[in-house]
């Protein structure tokens, strides 16, 4: 193992693996993404026209940027076995970790500047975008990465909460001062934050290998979860919660019979797996927001959200463990059970979004209700049904 080329080889290994997935995604959904992007730009324009002048856009944009920066990860490409083989060479890995910090900073800076470009019309309403603004934004990103790096040396949960609060408020106020052109306050705050960081990082400390491994695995999992929305990723670990209240409702609503076995199992999987449950919640909340803000065009977004929800919940069919197949139930019955779960999920989402439209009675008509019910039924039985194949070869071990 060559220490001098280790970082480069790890990055190349990561991109070789991840590029294979993204090339398949790009070849299959490029036209879909172009259509969605066009629709997004159109409705963004409508949203900008809707914003009342008395709303503090600077405060909202500052919060938006802060929320984008908070999930940042320091990518070190460390593997779990490195804690054994590289621990003794830690003193030689200083350049390795500096490269990791710089790499993470560049990736986050590109992401944030891309978002600024996408929402440029919204930013131009409150600030003049020039070179100094962009340099200041890049400085904020670098500060955020360094703050994330210092998390590894926090000793308890209280310190973590205090550190997170400092990070949130400092990011928010730096962004806010930049947008309202109060450069003196912004530069003073940034200077104080960097002085604190230099003091904290300057102390002699050893690297927290467990934290590095946890961060890297979390970043990889985030990539694989995104890819899994378009194609199946083998051996993807799922996080889950019991959600006893929802599980109890599922048990009460589904009859106790052999034919309902997989209906019960798939319902519990959907309720307990965070990936699918939070995806459903996020899309539903987005739909509620759009129906409130743009009621005249909300019906179109409602159908788009139903399409996206049904498509992204499809991988749930392969989450059943192999041991469950000991139940003497036919594959066709398993497929029907999964389709029934999808149908109920999408109908529930549609009725939630339709009920929001009752705030604007002129847009919540029986006409839209009938079309929505028919749309969900046809979508599940003619589109989703062709992509459901709960076979023994597809089920996870």
């Amino acid at each position: 193992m060559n220490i001098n080329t280790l970082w480069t080889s790890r990055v190349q290994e990561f991109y070789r693996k991840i590029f294979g997935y993204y090339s398949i995604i790009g070849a299959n959904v490029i036209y879909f993404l172009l259509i969605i992007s066009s629709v997004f730009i159109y409705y963004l324009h409508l949203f900008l026209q809707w914003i009342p002048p008395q709303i503090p856009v600077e405060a909202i944009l500052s919060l938006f940027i802060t929320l984008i920066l908070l999930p940042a990860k320091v990518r070190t490409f460390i593997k779990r076995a490195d804690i054994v083989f590289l621990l003794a060479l830690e003193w030689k890995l200083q350049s390795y970790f500096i490269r990791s910090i710089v790499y993470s900073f560049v990736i986050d800076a590109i992401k944030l500047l891309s978002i600024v470009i996408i929402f440029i019309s919204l930013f131009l309403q409150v600030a003049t975008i020039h070179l100094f603004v962009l340099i200041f934004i890049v400085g904020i990103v670098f500060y955020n990465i360094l703050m994330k790096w210092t998390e590894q040396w926090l000793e308890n949960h209280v310190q973590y909460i205090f550190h997170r609060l400092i990070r949130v408020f400092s990011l928010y106020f730096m962004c806010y001062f930049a947008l309202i052109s109060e450069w003196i306050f912004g530069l003073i705050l940034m200077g104080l934050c960097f002085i604190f960081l230099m003091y904290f990082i300057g102390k002699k400390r050893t690297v927290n290998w467990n934290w590095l491994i946890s961060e890297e695995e979390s970043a990889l999992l985030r990539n694989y979860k995104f890819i899994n929305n378009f194609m199946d990723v083998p051996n993807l670990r799922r996080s889950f919660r019991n959600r006893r209240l929802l599980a109890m409702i599922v048990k009460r609503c589904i009859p106790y019979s052999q034919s309902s076995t997989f209906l019960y199992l798939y319902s519990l999987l959907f309720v307990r797996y965070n990936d699918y449950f939070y995806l459903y919640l996020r899309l539903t909340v987005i739909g509620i927001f759009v129906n409130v803000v743009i009621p005249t065009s909300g019906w179109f977004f409602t159908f788009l959200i139903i399409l996206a929800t049904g498509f992204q919940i499809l991988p749930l069919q392969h989450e059943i463990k192999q041991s469950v197949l000991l139940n003497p139930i036919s594959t066709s019955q398993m497929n029907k059970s999964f389709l029934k779960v999808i149908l109920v999920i999408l109908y529930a989402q549609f009725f939630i979004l339709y009920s929001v439209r009752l705030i604007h009675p002129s847009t919540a008509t029986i006409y839209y209700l009938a079309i929505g019910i028919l749309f969900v039924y046809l979508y599940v039985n003619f589109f989703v049904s062709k992509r459901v194949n709960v076979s023994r070869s597809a089920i996870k071990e």
Side-chain angles (χ1 to χ4, degrees):
M1 181 183 296
N2 190 336
I3 296 296
N4 296 324
T5 60
L6 179 61
W7 192 87
T8 304
S9 62
R10 288 286 174 85
V11 173
Q12 290 174 349
E13 178 187 351
F14 168 75
Y15 276 102
R16 276 197 301 269
K17 184 185 299 182
I18 216 73
F19 181 76
Y21 286 118
Y22 280 109
S23 60
I24 296 172
I25 292 173
N28 286 280
V29 301
I30 183 66
Y31 298 110
F32 174 76
L33 291 177
L34 288 174
I35 294 170
I36 293 298
S37 300
S38 303
V39 172
F40 172 77
I41 292 170
Y42 171 74
Y43 281 100
L44 176 62
H45 178 69
L46 292 181
F47 173 70
L48 295 178
Q49 293 179 336
W50 168 84
I51 297 177
Q54 63 271 22
I55 289 182
V57 180
E58 299 92 344
I60 295 173
L61 281 176
S62 301
L63 180 62
F64 178 61
I65 294 173
T66 303
L67 294 175
I68 289 172
L69 292 175
L70 279 180
K73 299 285 184 185
V74 180
R75 297 300 308 273
T76 57
F77 306 100
I78 291 293
K79 300 180 180 180
R80 190 162 288 277
D82 291 341
I83 200 170
V84 176
F85 296 102
L86 295 181
L87 185 60
L89 299 174
E90 182 179 323
W91 61 279
K92 289 186 176 181
L93 293 173
Q94 185 176 5
S95 62
Y96 181 98
F97 293 126
I98 291 174
R99 285 186 179 186
S100 298
I101 292 172
V102 172
Y103 169 84
S104 303
F105 155 69
V106 170
I107 294 297
D108 275 17
I110 292 172
K111 288 179 182 177
L112 186 57
L113 291 175
S114 301
I115 290 171
V116 171
I117 293 170
I118 292 170
F119 293 94
I120 189 69
S121 54
L122 187 57
F123 280 92
L124 289 175
Q125 289 188 9
V126 297
T128 303
I129 304 297
H130 48 78
L131 182 60
F132 186 70
V133 175
L134 297 178
I135 293 173
F136 193 80
I137 290 174
V138 168
I140 293 172
V141 176
F142 187 59
Y143 162 75
N144 182 57
I145 289 295
L146 291 181
M147 283 292 282
K148 182 66 180 179
W149 178 254
T150 59
E151 279 186 9
Q152 63 180 299
W153 297 306
L154 302 178
E155 297 176 358
N156 52 56
H157 191 62
V158 175
Q159 288 186 1
Y160 177 80
I161 293 175
F162 186 65
H163 182 278
R164 178 56 67 95
L165 288 174
I166 292 175
R167 187 174 161 210
V168 169
F169 283 109
S170 58
L171 286 173
Y172 177 82
F173 283 110
M174 278 191 278
C175 295
Y176 183 73
F177 289 141
L179 292 175
I180 64 174
S181 299
E182 292 287 350
W183 296 110
I184 295 176
F185 295 109
L187 291 172
I188 290 174
L189 178 59
M190 181 175 283
L192 291 174
C193 289
F194 272 107
I195 290 172
F196 164 75
L197 275 175
M198 293 304 103
Y199 169 76
F200 194 75
I201 295 175
K203 292 185 175 182
K204 296 293 183 180
R205 304 174 189 269
T206 57
V207 174
N208 187 338
W209 287 88
N210 289 324
W211 183 86
L212 295 180
I213 293 168
S214 175
E215 284 293 301
E216 183 60 26
E217 289 180 348
S218 176
L220 280 173
L221 184 61
R222 185 191 297 177
N223 271 288
Y224 289 142
K225 281 182 178 180
F226 173 76
I227 294 168
N228 198 64
N229 292 326
F230 303 94
M231 57 187 295
D232 187 45
V233 179
N235 304 319
L236 179 63
R237 290 195 308 173
R238 301 289 185 192
S239 59
F240 66 92
R241 293 182 62 183
N242 287 330
R243 298 190 175 91
R244 291 185 178 87
L245 179 60
L246 290 174
M248 183 178 68
I249 294 173
V250 168
K251 292 175 184 178
R252 294 287 179 87
C253 294
I254 298 176
Y256 183 79
S257 64
Q258 187 182 46
S259 60
S260 301
T261 300
F262 280 86
L263 184 63
Y264 172 75
L265 289 174
Y266 277 122
S267 300
L268 276 186
L269 283 176
F270 171 74
V271 165
R272 288 178 171 171
Y273 271 165
N274 290 333
D275 297 352
Y276 300 103
F277 187 76
Y278 287 142
L279 168 73
Y280 183 76
L281 283 184
R282 284 194 298 269
L283 290 173
T284 305
V285 169
I286 291 170
I288 291 171
F289 176 77
V290 172
N291 276 281
V292 171
V293 173
I294 317 174
T296 55
S297 302
W299 62 270
F300 178 69
F301 251 95
T302 296
F303 293 149
L304 277 181
I305 285 169
I306 289 171
L307 284 171
T309 303
F311 182 75
Q312 296 194 48
I313 292 180
L314 273 173
L316 180 66
Q317 64 182 304
H318 303 310
E319 298 294 342
I320 294 287
K321 301 296 182 181
Q322 187 74 31
S323 57
V324 179
L325 295 176
L326 295 174
N327 289 282
I329 297 175
S330 65
T331 300
S332 61
Q333 184 63 44
M334 293 160 62
N335 292 337
K336 289 178 182 176
S337 297
F338 182 73
L339 283 175
K340 192 177 292 185
V341 171
I342 296 293
L343 189 66
V344 171
I345 288 171
L346 295 185
Y347 269 137
Q349 187 178 55
F350 170 73
F351 284 120
I352 290 170
L353 299 181
Y354 181 80
S355 65
V356 174
R357 300 179 66 81
L358 296 176
I359 300 172
H360 309 279
S362 59
T363 61
T365 62
I366 298 298
Y367 173 72
Y368 289 137
L369 179 63
I371 289 180
I373 292 172
L374 180 62
F375 174 79
V376 173
Y377 179 82
L378 294 176
Y379 175 57
V380 172
N381 287 280
F382 290 93
F383 177 82
V384 177
S385 61
K386 294 180 180 179
R387 288 156 179 81
V388 173
N389 182 23
V390 187
S391 63
R392 283 161 172 76
S393 60
I395 300 296
K396 287 189 173 184
E397 294 291 342

